[in-house]
């Protein structure tokens, strides 16, 4: 059994992506520090408010629970954090990303890539094998160790550090990857601004994050309202996988306009629905047609 986690709680003055003021933020509900299921009103626990930005649609926890030590969240064995099927398939899931990177950078030979939140090193290994000059950041000690031992990642190319603490030369990378990472970062705008400094002019940041438009969450929230509770399904700020944010395309468009970048590509992924299998035949095509899948992928280019 994991020990109880300790947090400090910080309030946001406004949106942490588009900087819309406090007057444009509204509380949509509250989220428990445990899985909620269909009857969250019967469960005990600590809840935080979940807000929605009227400026860009960002969904986030406020107050923001920040662990005393990052290892409290991510200092766990990879087998405990990820599903077995994720750990089993080494490089195949990244072929679409590698192909997209080549399409975005057709004239760049051996592009230099930084994988932020490299996890157990699967993406790094895939990019290495595809001929990219690959580097990584990983703040979790167990994940960092597994990347070196399991995926044979060169320890000189994988820093044990967070994006907030890492240091790289300005204009060093052609591509920086934030896949299933930015939703864990307390201040995503600051993390992206810092990353832009590490990026060459004309370079790219590829971001994959939970979508605030995910249809399943919206349907569950309707169910909660019909049952008379103010709980919401969005986020999991105080239990695995510790998501602090859900993003919209407008969140990144607003960020790009403010920081000398532009959105050059985006797409939505349906992913799992976590619904009964018989419902997938209806829900998956509907989410695909309406851009209401679970994940949003955005590519920013530095001007």
């Amino acid at each position: 059994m994991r020990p109880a986690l300790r947090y400090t709680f910080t309030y946001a003055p406004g949106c942490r992506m588009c900087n819309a003021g406090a007057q444009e933020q509204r509380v949509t509900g509250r989220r428990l520090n445990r899985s909620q299921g269909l009857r969250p009103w019967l469960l005990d626990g600590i809840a935080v408010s979940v807000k929605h930005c009227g400026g860009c649609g960002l969904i986030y926890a406020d107050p923001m629970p920040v662990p005393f030590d990052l290892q409290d969240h991510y200092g766990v064995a990879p087998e405990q954090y990820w599903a077995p099927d994720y750990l089993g398939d080494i490089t195949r899931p990244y072929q679409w990303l590698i192909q997209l990177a080549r399409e975005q950078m057709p004239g760049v030979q051996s592009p230099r890539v930084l994988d932020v939140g490299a996890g157990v090193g699967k993406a790094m290994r895939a990019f290495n094998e595809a001929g990219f000059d690959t580097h990584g950041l990983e703040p979790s000690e167990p994940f960092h160790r597994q990347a070196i031992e399991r995926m044979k990642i060169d320890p000189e190319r994988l820093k044990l550090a967070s994006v907030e603490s890492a240091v790289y030369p300005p204009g060093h990378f052609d591509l920086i990857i934030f896949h299933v990472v930015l939703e864990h970062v307390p201040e995503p705008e600051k993390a992206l601004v810092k990353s832009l400094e590490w990026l060459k002019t004309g370079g790219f940041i590829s971001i994959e994050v939970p979508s605030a438009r995910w249809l399943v969450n919206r349907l569950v929230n309707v169910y909660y309202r019909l049952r008379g509770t103010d709980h919401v399904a969005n986020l999991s700020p105080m239990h695995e996988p510790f998501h602090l944010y859900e993003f919209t395309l407008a969140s990144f468009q607003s960020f790009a306009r403010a920081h000398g970048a532009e959105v050059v590509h985006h797409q939505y992924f349906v992913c799992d629905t976590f619904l009964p299998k018989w419902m997938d035949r209806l829900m998956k095509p509907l989410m695909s047609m309406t851009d209401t899948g679970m994940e949003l992928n955005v590519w920013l280019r530095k001007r």
Side-chain angles (χ1 to χ4, degrees):
M1 182 175 181
R2 294 185 62 180
L5 303 182
R6 301 176 301 154
Y7 294 94
T8 57
F9 292 86
T10 62
Y11 287 89
C15 179
R16 290 187 172 97
M17 280 296 290
C18 75
N19 290 310
Q23 71 279 4
E24 296 190 58
Q25 315 304 309
R26 62 181 176 86
V27 175
T28 62
R30 57 195 175 102
R31 191 61 159 86
L32 286 172
N33 62 336
R34 60 188 294 177
S35 297
Q36 296 184 151
L38 295 177
R39 297 181 178 180
W41 56 89
L42 298 179
L43 303 176
D44 57 10
I46 300 169
V48 293
S49 298
V50 174
K51 287 187 174 179
H52 176 271
C53 175
C56 72
L58 184 74
I59 293 175
Y60 60 98
D62 190 40
M64 182 73 67
V66 180
F68 276 48
D69 188 331
L70 196 62
Q71 300 306 320
D72 289 344
H73 274 188
Y74 306 109
V76 298
E79 293 81 5
Q80 183 177 343
Y81 187 81
W82 278 298
D85 58 344
Y86 173 84
L87 295 172
D89 198 342
I90 295 178
T91 61
R92 184 180 58 83
Y94 298 97
Q95 297 311 308
W96 71 271
L97 179 59
I98 291 169
Q99 179 60 34
L100 188 52
R102 286 175 170 152
E103 291 172 1
Q104 296 289 349
M105 302 180 290
V108 181
Q109 299 298 316
S110 188
R112 184 175 292 138
V113 178
L114 175 65
D115 185 11
V116 177
V120 295
K122 290 177 59 173
M124 286 189 67
R125 177 163 167 176
F127 273 88
N128 278 335
E129 293 179 356
F132 289 72
D133 179 10
T134 313
H135 303 259
L137 282 175
E138 176 49 53
S140 164
E141 294 174 358
F143 299 174
H144 179 268
R145 182 171 60 253
Q146 284 292 306
I148 294 169
E149 295 176 358
R150 186 193 296 239
M151 296 295 164
K152 310 303 180 185
I153 300 299
D154 182 351
E156 296 297 318
R157 289 177 171 264
L158 179 60
K159 291 186 177 183
L160 179 60
S162 65
V163 65
E164 295 88 351
S165 63
V167 177
Y168 288 102
H172 194 60
F173 296 102
D174 298 289
L175 170 64
I176 298 177
I177 302 170
F178 277 88
H179 279 214
V180 295
V181 171
L182 206 60
E183 62 270 26
H184 302 275
V185 176
E187 297 188 88
E189 181 190 24
K190 289 184 179 180
L192 290 175
V193 167
K194 186 174 185 180
S195 299
L196 282 172
E197 295 173 358
W198 299 337
L199 201 63
K200 297 176 182 178
T201 300
F204 298 88
I205 300 179
S206 176
I207 304 158
E208 187 174 329
V209 287
S211 171
R213 291 171 48 84
W214 189 29
L215 183 58
V216 173
N217 271 353
R218 293 157 73 181
L219 292 176
V220 174
N221 288 348
V222 170
Y223 163 79
Y224 284 160
R225 292 297 174 271
L226 292 175
R227 294 302 303 266
T229 180
D230 66 346
H231 291 83
V232 292
N234 309 88
L235 314 180
S236 55
M238 290 189 288
H239 68 90
E240 293 177 4
F242 304 112
H243 288 181
L244 303 175
Y245 295 92
E246 293 171 8
F247 297 82
T248 68
L249 177 60
S251 301
F252 296 105
Q253 291 171 330
S254 177
F255 170 86
R257 286 193 297 268
H259 296 287
E262 61 181 332
V263 175
V264 295
H265 173 83
H266 77 276
Q267 61 191 121
Y268 293 88
F269 299 111
V270 172
C271 304
D272 291 328
T273 66
F274 301 102
L275 296 171
K277 293 298 182 183
W278 64 268
M279 295 184 67
D280 281 354
R281 291 193 295 272
L282 170 65
M283 296 296 293
K284 286 191 172 183
L286 178 61
M287 286 189 281
S288 179
M289 289 186 295
T290 58
D291 286 341
T292 54
M294 180 195 291
E295 297 287 331
L296 168 64
N297 177 232
V298 173
W299 282 64
L300 303 177
R301 186 178 70 86
K302 180 178 178 179
R303 291 176 175 168

